[in-house]
Amino acid sequence: MDVKIEESWKKVLNEEFDQPYFETLVQFVKDEYARHKVYPPGKWMFNAFDTCSFDDVKVVVLGQDPYHGPGQAHGLCFSVQDGVAFPPSLQNIFKELDNDLNIPMPRSGNLERWAHQGVFLLNATLTVRARQAGSHQNKGWETFTDAVVRKLAEEKEHLVFLLWGAYAQRKGEFIDTNKHLVLKAPHPSPFSADRGFFGCRHFSKTNAYLEQHGKTPIEW
């Protein structure tokens, strides 16, 4: 199957695109876009891949679902489009960034600036029906994104995986911690951020590890 995705990812994931589950998933997603309002807009479905090639990945952040409100989701986990109010989890990410590295709250919640530096912002499910959280779960996306994480973990070295919350931690439990840095914390949601996300200092720890392995740190 010919999937419109950045070339280095197409090469790495080619076998996945020919799997029966992926064909079923594609048909489901096409039907959903035809019949319902679905986020993100179709052109941004693979935005995480298109803004951060396989070759450039240095840091992996795992989210769960795209935002399901109007104008928010654009294919990068936790990120919102320019001019959109910050959802609570993103506000807390920026608060921890300020606590950790004294970086003040930015004007935009668009995290493409991170993606262009090698931060791969992957949701487990790449689409969602408007105002229906979790509506595209268990349709095949999780199988696909598991394969993506596995490819990164197996074929690259010295990546940093930021696993925030129990869901992300389960999804990344097979990652070899002798080969990569795996940082775990509660989810930045207001329901859990006070239980250890605040004070986790993942941003400075990420940069220290990257520098230790001869990589350029992220300008968060």
Side-chain angles (χ1 to χ4, degrees):
M1 180 180 294
D2 184 29
V3 176
K4 291 180 181 176
I5 196 171
E6 192 273 337
E7 278 303 315
S8 66
W9 283 107
K10 181 177 277 193
K11 186 176 177 182
V12 168
L13 296 170
N14 227 8
E15 292 177 9
E16 217 60 33
F17 298 141
D18 292 328
Q19 297 293 327
Y21 87 84
F22 195 82
E23 293 183 27
T24 303
L25 170 63
V26 167
Q27 194 55 57
F28 166 77
V29 171
K30 282 182 178 177
D31 289 348
E32 284 287 291
Y33 273 98
R35 298 176 185 179
H36 305 280
K37 184 72 174 174
V38 173
Y39 297 125
K43 64 181 178 179
W44 284 326
M45 192 185 307
F46 292 112
N47 200 21
F49 302 83
D50 295 335
T51 52
C52 184
S53 73
F54 181 81
D55 301 330
D56 289 342
V57 175
K58 295 190 287 191
V59 181
V60 181
V61 180
L62 293 181
Q64 190 165 358
D65 251 20
Y67 297 122
H68 53 86
Q72 293 178 309
H74 65 130
L76 307 177
C77 72
F78 295 108
S79 179
V80 292
Q81 297 178 56
D82 291 324
V84 175
F86 302 168
S89 291
L90 184 58
Q91 286 186 40
N92 286 340
I93 288 169
F94 289 145
K95 285 178 185 175
E96 174 57 21
L97 194 51
D98 189 16
N99 294 337
D100 187 6
L101 291 171
N102 297 313
I103 295 173
M105 190 78 68
R107 292 183 194 167
S108 172
N110 188 329
L111 302 182
E112 283 186 4
R113 59 187 182 273
W114 293 4
H116 291 314
Q117 298 177 72
V119 181
F120 184 53
L121 297 159
L122 179 68
N123 274 317
T125 304
L126 299 190
T127 54
V128 68
R129 200 183 289 184
R131 303 196 184 283
Q132 294 187 41
S135 49
H136 287 187
Q137 289 178 7
N138 304 314
K139 302 296 183 182
W141 276 132
E142 294 92 342
T143 304
F144 173 68
T145 53
D146 279 351
V148 171
V149 176
R150 198 171 293 279
K151 285 284 187 184
L152 286 164
E154 290 176 355
E155 297 189 17
K156 295 180 75 74
E157 291 186 344
H158 306 312
L159 298 180
V160 181
F161 288 86
L162 301 181
L163 307 182
W164 297 334
Y167 184 90
Q169 288 162 25
R170 284 194 302 273
K171 195 169 182 71
E173 62 189 2
F174 62 83
I175 297 164
D176 184 351
T177 55
N178 294 313
K179 191 178 176 186
H180 305 287
L181 178 63
V182 177
L183 296 176
K184 300 178 182 180
H187 195 277
S189 155
F191 299 109
S192 54
D194 286 330
R195 299 204 298 266
F197 179 77
F198 291 138
C200 70
R201 301 186 66 84
H202 279 186
F203 303 102
S204 58
K205 289 175 182 177
T206 293
N207 279 353
Y209 181 84
L210 293 175
E211 289 185 291
Q212 181 187 339
H213 292 281
K215 299 183 182 185
T216 306
I218 306 299
E219 290 186 19
W220 301 102

